[in-house]
Amino acid sequence: LLHGFGQTRGTLLVLARRLVAAGYEVVHFSHAPFAADVPAAAASLRTLVARLQEERPGPIHLLGFGLGGLVA
């Protein structure tokens, strides 16, 4: 999950809990340190996704809101 500008992972906690209850594993990505630098945030997200692909079988779904959607 990728939150929007000026938000935190707490913004998406209800959604995260519902996704977990539905059987999904949820990973939060915070772009806060990169808020003014979308390319840097996207590079950091690529690194995270690559690591997750090595650790877990199956598809990875990205769900972003606002700036989080732009980064995704």
Side-chain angles (χ1 to χ4, degrees), residues 42-69:
S44 181
L45 178 60
R46 276 193 300 276
T47 300
L48 172 62
V49 169
R51 188 184 52 130
L52 292 173
Q53 287 175 320
E54 290 176 5
E55 296 173 356
R56 298 165 175 85
I60 294 175
H61 306 280
L62 300 178
L63 184 56
F65 297 87
L67 183 60

Side-chain angles (χ1 to χ4, degrees), residues 7-18:
Q7 299 175 337
T8 66
R9 63 183 283 168
T11 307
L12 301 174
L13 278 180
V14 172
L15 176 59
R17 288 182 183 139
R18 289 181 180 176

Side-chain angles (χ1 to χ4, degrees), residues 1-3 27-32 34 40-42 44-46 48 71:
L1 294 177
L2 295 90
H3 60 76
V27 176
H28 292 267
F29 175 82
S30 178
H31 54 74
F34 311 101
S44 181
L45 178 60
R46 276 193 300 276
L48 172 62
V71 171

